[in-house]
Amino acid sequence: MKKADIGVIGLAVMGENLILNMESRGFTVAAYNRTLSKVDHFVEGRAAGKNIIGAHSLEEFVDALAKPRKAMLMIKAGQPVDDFIELLIPLLDEGDIIIDGGNSFFGDTIRRTRYLEAKGLRFIGTGVSGGEEGALHGPSIMPGGSPEAWPYVKPIFQAIAARVVPAGAPPEEGVPCCDWVGSDGAGHYVKMVHNGIEYGDMQMIAEAYFLMAHLLGMEPAEMHDVFAAWNEGELNSYLVEITRDILAAVDDETGKPMVDVILDTAGQKGTGKWASQSALDMGTPAPTVAEAVFARFMSAIKADRVAASQVLAGPVPAYDGDRDALVEGICQALYASKICSYAQGFQLLKMAAAEYGWDLNYGAIALMWREGCIIRAQFLERIKEAFDEKPDLANLLLASYFKEAIDRSQGAWRRVVALAIANGIPVPAFSSALAYYDGYRTARLPANMLQAQRDYFGAHTYERVDRPRGEFFHTNWTGRGGDTSAEVYTA
């Protein structure tokens, strides 16, 4: 029997569809699942008649793989990944490759890479984005880990990935949305930031919907037309496209718009929270991602909100101005906020690259996100162009295209945020993105007062505007303190 080019462990939605994608590209794939009935169900069902080898034990699975063996884990992140790694190690030979394709924490990937390399094995931690459809037809793939492993998986990963195809060109001339990201945890870090940006995108779109529904009284069918129009312009993206479709859907049971019968509590898998925590660790501002996470937390306390709505006062939303003008203003607010959210995400990538020693190619990352993944959007072409033009670009807001876009949009953006606040409509993503923009463009922030306060109560020292950076001073504010100061502050 022909040996498999790669094997996949885990036959949930993503695992099954990745296997079918690989097989459709000419690869023979081995499949294993701890629950053996799933293997039989898959092999006798969707995989019937295809070059897919079902295995009923890990030994059989490993034996089915061509050397160097490539075993890809598509299982729940965390301890299950470590457990399977320990089960695989005794069955593998030096130079074999274990791939983790789940949403693992990048710190775990750094640890696993070092652990397996010390045992003579190779490890790849790869982000895979695109959901069920992407896994089957072409996801965005973000691999990192042991650089020596990349040549062995590159032909497979780039064959199954989505492709960015120039206008009028045949598909085979497209650029795959997959390339080597960097060592150890770089791939999973980039996927984590992708997901953080995704949280921000989704929250901003939800706020646009909420403003149209509660300030303009628009019905879902009307908003469907708006989002359909937006998807033909600068906001063209997968998330705007699916929002358009969601707003057109009708519930079979009640005949009501589907969106109106869905409870307003949102779940999460943790990657947005990890991105926010990493931003805090790195000391880099990513408020829009964080606010998107907090918005989901706020949605989860549904019972509290319902009770509070009967007690806490606020304005009743009302708007008697030009409706079309406000809809266009919301569109501009969404686009400007989106720019700031991506600027925060790429700033976080730059800080992580410096911290962990990764040589990240930001234009290539934007291209990897151009198709296949959840945040795929026309907009990403502009990000790639910005980094192609200036690889050391300090912030996306400084690229000419995005600066001009903000200049065009910020008047409407400010009016929309002010109107939402005046009417008591929460827009945490829109408003945090605007605060980020205003903070970034402000040469002198009120942090001088913060540092004076810190020095007053804790002798934490400060720098002076009339002395070189790096010199620290302490004032005896009360006349009762001494000359002793605390450790130098850190941002």
Side-chain angles (χ1 to χ4, degrees):
M1 179 186 293
K2 182 181 184 297
K3 295 282 189 178
D5 299 293
I6 190 170
V8 175
I9 296 172
L11 295 178
V13 170
M14 290 295 286
E16 277 197 9
N17 284 294
L18 276 176
I19 291 171
L20 292 170
N21 186 348
M22 291 171 181
E23 196 276 342
S24 73
R25 304 295 176 180
F27 300 103
T28 298
V29 189
Y32 175 76
N33 196 86
R34 189 188 289 271
T35 304
L36 298 181
S37 60
K38 287 191 174 183
V39 177
D40 294 333
H41 180 75
F42 179 55
V43 170
E44 295 166 7
R46 298 179 75 195
K50 300 183 185 296
N51 293 318
I52 296 171
I53 303 167
H56 290 84
S57 69
L58 275 180
E59 291 79 5
E60 185 181 342
F61 172 81
V62 170
D63 186 58
L65 301 176
K67 293 185 177 182
R69 301 180 182 94
K70 296 170 283 293
M72 186 170 187
L73 303 174
M74 294 300 298
I75 60 178
K76 185 178 179 181
Q79 190 60 44
V81 175
D82 288 314
D83 291 344
F84 261 104
I85 286 173
E86 291 302 325
L87 291 171
L88 284 167
I89 287 172
L91 306 176
L92 298 175
D93 295 328
E94 185 173 346
D96 286 345
I97 301 163
I98 297 176
I99 305 160
D100 174 16
N103 270 335
S104 287
F105 180 60
F106 76 96
D108 290 337
T109 305
I110 293 174
R111 169 178 57 80
R112 290 166 183 151
T113 303
R114 293 171 181 168
Y115 175 65
L116 286 166
E117 286 180 346
K119 293 182 175 294
L121 298 171
R122 299 158 176 165
F123 186 68
I124 288 178
T126 185
V128 179
S129 180
E132 179 180 2
E133 179 184 351
L136 182 60
H137 299 294
S140 171
I141 307 175
M142 297 151 259
S146 306
E148 300 82 7
W150 175 232
Y152 296 100
V153 302
K154 179 179 178 179
I156 301 173
F157 279 11
Q158 292 195 338
I160 67 170
R163 304 182 84 81
V164 178
V165 182
E172 59 271 15
E173 291 185 14
V175 179
C177 294
C178 170
D179 206 348
W180 186 248
V181 175
S183 60
D184 50 63
H188 272 137
Y189 194 93
V190 168
K191 175 58 162 57
M192 178 191 76
V193 173
H194 163 283
N195 283 24
I197 292 171
E198 176 187 312
Y199 273 54
D201 263 2
M202 294 172 71
Q203 177 63 27
M204 289 184 284
I205 289 170
E207 290 174 14
Y209 149 78
F210 204 62
L211 283 167
M212 285 187 279
H214 291 273
L215 198 53
L216 294 176
M218 294 175 67
E219 294 296 327
E222 295 176 276
M223 288 185 276
H224 160 80
D225 294 338
V226 170
F227 276 92
W230 287 358
N231 199 49
E232 298 299 319
E234 289 180 318
L235 286 170
N236 171 264
S237 65
Y238 174 70
L239 285 169
V240 168
E241 178 184 315
I242 68 169
T243 303
R244 173 201 68 192
D245 296 345
I246 288 166
L247 289 165
V250 175
D251 177 42
D252 291 336
E253 291 185 29
T254 63
K256 296 179 179 178
M258 195 70 218
V259 71
D260 289 345
V261 301
I262 296 174
L263 188 69
D264 57 318
T265 58
Q268 61 169 319
K269 289 188 175 180
T271 46
K273 181 173 71 174
W274 291 346
S276 300
Q277 289 172 332
S278 183
L280 291 169
D281 292 340
M282 297 290 166
T284 189
T288 307
V289 174
E291 285 294 354
V293 176
F294 286 133
R296 295 195 189 193
F297 291 164
M298 180 66 79
S299 78
I301 54 170
K302 172 69 173 178
D304 287 5
R305 291 188 290 110
V306 170
S309 70
Q310 306 301 313
V311 177
L312 302 179
V316 176
Y319 178 74
D320 58 5
D322 186 310
R323 188 168 98 155
D324 290 342
L326 182 53
V327 168
E328 176 57 26
I330 294 170
C331 175
Q332 295 302 316
L334 177 56
Y335 193 60
S337 298
K338 183 183 180 80
I339 292 171
C340 287
S341 180
Y342 279 71
Q344 293 166 36
F346 277 89
Q347 202 63 10
L348 181 53
L349 289 175
K350 288 172 73 72
M351 294 292 286
E355 176 73 16
Y356 297 106
W358 298 328
D359 183 19
L360 300 184
N361 184 325
Y362 306 106
I365 289 169
L367 183 66
M368 277 189 272
W369 293 347
R370 178 63 183 86
E371 295 291 344
C373 68
I374 301 302
I375 65 170
R376 60 185 183 265
Q378 175 181 298
F379 173 90
L380 284 152
E381 292 280 0
R382 299 295 190 176
I383 295 178
K384 182 181 185 302
E385 290 167 5
F387 282 111
D388 284 350
E389 182 178 334
K390 191 172 183 181
D392 61 347
L393 182 67
N395 190 297
L396 277 179
L397 294 175
L398 302 177
S400 57
Y401 173 83
F402 295 111
K403 178 186 177 298
E404 291 166 7
I406 293 281
D407 287 346
R408 290 194 306 271
S409 300
Q410 69 169 293
W413 186 18
R414 294 181 189 282
R415 288 191 294 274
V416 167
V417 170
L419 193 60
I421 292 169
N423 282 274
I425 297 175
V427 286
F430 281 0
S431 55
S432 67
L434 181 56
Y436 172 82
Y437 175 75
D438 283 337
Y440 192 71
R441 70 178 186 83
T442 301
R444 185 168 171 82
L445 291 168
N448 54 323
M449 177 57 74
L450 294 177
Q451 202 57 32
Q453 292 169 340
R454 295 185 76 235
D455 190 55
Y456 190 110
F457 66 67
H460 290 294
T461 76
Y462 53 83
E463 294 173 276
R464 293 177 60 97
V465 297
D466 54 0
R467 300 291 177 85
R469 291 298 306 266
E471 292 186 23
F472 297 92
F473 303 86
H474 167 58
T475 292
N476 184 350
W477 297 91
T478 64
R480 298 186 297 275
D483 296 328
T484 303
S485 61
E487 292 183 5
V488 172
Y489 68 90
T490 56

